[in-house]
């Protein structure tokens, strides 16, 4: 158990819908990362937050957004869902945003868009 | 640009044989390097991490990796494969940028262990 908690574990929704994925980082970790993993694109970095502020953006679509709340949990919002958004979404956390810090992954949220 | 390249998207070894998973990095400065393992239907789990303290890094489950600056490599090895080692393995590099700690993952290597 990494200490990173993600909910829901599985989600099935229809195209055009909107979903929210939630992540609680490890106790004491200030930085949260979101990744998307799919068969055709591998592990893609989406976005990073540190202590409530956005730190870095990766390959995140405009239809997707995220935030980190004062209690440090984070949410990833996916809207206008398309079939191609079906993937495993990971949240990871680290104690801060300094280089060399290990990032710890949650179990992921499986999203299926039908 | 900071990146890692994993040679071989699929590797098969016999049970008891040597495991060698290759990773090369591109970096202008000494990097922080990681190996993660992903078992089916699970998240990524840290196997080991290089932070310049020692070139040979020992990780969990009998795995180790050697940092070779001259070859810009960080290959993962295990002397004797076990059936439970079947998983996806990711090499990653970390570097501090002006926007924070950036992690770059390789494309992964799927390890199959043949009984």
């Amino acid at each position: 158990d990494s200490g990173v908690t993600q909910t829901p574990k599985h989600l099935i929704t229809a195209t055009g819908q909107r979903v929210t994925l939630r992540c609680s980082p490890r106790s004491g970790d200030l930085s949260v990362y979101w990744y998307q993993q799919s068969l055709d694109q591998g592990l893609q970095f989406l976005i990073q937050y540190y202590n409530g502020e956005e730190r870095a953006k990766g390959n995140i679509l405009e239809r997707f957004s995220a935030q980190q709340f004062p209690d440090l949990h984070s949410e990833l919002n996916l809207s206008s869902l398309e079939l191609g958004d079906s993937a495993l979404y990971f949240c990871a956390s680290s104690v801060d945003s300094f280089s060399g810090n290990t990032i710890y992954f949650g179990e992921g949220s499986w999203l299926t868009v039908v | 640009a900071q990146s890692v390249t994993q040679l071989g998207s699929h590797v098969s070894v016999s049970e008891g044989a040597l495991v060698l998973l290759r990773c090369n990095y591109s970096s202008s400065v000494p990097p922080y390097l990681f190996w993660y393992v992903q078992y089916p239907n699970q998240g990524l789990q840290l196997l080991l991490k290089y932070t310049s303290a020692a070139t040979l890094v020992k990780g969990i489950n009998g795995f180790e990796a050697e940092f070779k600056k001259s070859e810009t490599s960080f290959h993962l090895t295990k002397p004797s494969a076990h059936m439970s080692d079947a998983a996806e393995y990711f090499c990653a590099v970390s570097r501090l940028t002006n926007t924070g700690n950036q992690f770059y993952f390789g494309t992964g290597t799927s390890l199959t262990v043949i009984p």
Side-chain angles (χ1 to χ4, degrees):
Chain A
D1 182 5
S2 67
V4 179
T5 304
Q6 290 188 247
T7 57
K9 292 193 186 307
H10 300 273
L11 189 58
I12 302 174
T13 190
T15 55
Q17 295 298 304
R18 171 190 170 94
V19 299
T20 297
L21 308 180
R22 182 189 168 99
C23 169
S24 294
R26 293 188 323 151
S27 177
D29 283 0
L30 300 178
S31 196
V32 169
Y33 308 74
W34 286 98
Y35 287 85
Q36 178 194 59
Q37 186 178 40
S38 60
L39 283 175
D40 56 344
Q41 295 194 10
L43 195 61
Q44 297 283 319
F45 168 67
L46 294 179
I47 197 164
Q48 178 200 0
Y49 281 83
Y50 174 72
N51 204 20
E53 294 188 1
E54 182 183 306
R55 268 304 180 97
K57 263 187 175 180
N59 301 320
I60 188 166
L61 300 173
E62 286 191 8
R63 300 183 285 109
F64 297 179
S65 65
Q67 55 183 326
Q68 186 180 27
F69 294 87
D71 67 353
L72 301 177
H73 91 271
S74 178
E75 292 181 356
L76 179 66
N77 301 296
L78 315 173
S79 61
S80 303
L81 286 167
E82 302 174 358
L83 296 177
D85 297 327
S86 296
L88 182 55
Y89 291 84
F90 284 113
C91 172
S93 73
S94 64
V95 62
D96 54 34
S97 64
F98 293 114
S99 181
N101 283 316
T102 300
I103 61 173
Y104 296 89
F105 282 79
E107 295 284 305
S109 292
W110 279 100
L111 172 66
T112 302
V113 182
V114 298
Chain B
Q2 195 76 239
S3 70
V4 289
T5 302
Q6 291 185 242
L7 299 176
S9 57
H10 298 275
V11 170
S12 293
V13 300
S14 297
E15 190 174 15
L18 171 71
V19 176
L20 171 61
L21 304 182
R22 300 177 187 273
C23 173
N24 288 87
Y25 67 91
S26 63
S27 173
S28 58
V29 296
Y32 294 100
L33 293 161
F34 303 77
W35 275 99
Y36 283 83
V37 60
Q38 184 181 24
Y39 297 104
N41 302 315
Q42 293 188 26
L44 278 73
Q45 177 184 354
L46 179 69
L47 266 181
L48 49 82
K49 167 182 171 181
Y50 168 75
T51 58
S52 77
T55 57
L56 184 61
V57 182
K58 293 188 184 298
I60 62 172
N61 302 336
F63 284 93
E64 61 183 34
E66 186 173 8
F67 174 73
K68 291 187 176 180
K69 185 177 179 181
S70 60
E71 299 176 7
T72 61
S73 69
F74 190 57
H75 301 332
L76 181 71
T77 61
K78 182 174 180 177
S80 176
H82 192 271
M83 295 298 294
S84 61
D85 294 327
E88 187 88 14
Y89 291 81
F90 293 91
C91 181
V93 63
S94 164
R95 187 173 68 89
L96 185 65
T97 69
N98 57 2
T99 57
N101 182 22
Q102 291 293 301
F103 256 73
Y104 302 87
F105 283 89
T107 52
T109 298
S110 178
L111 176 65
T112 299
V113 182
I114 304 166

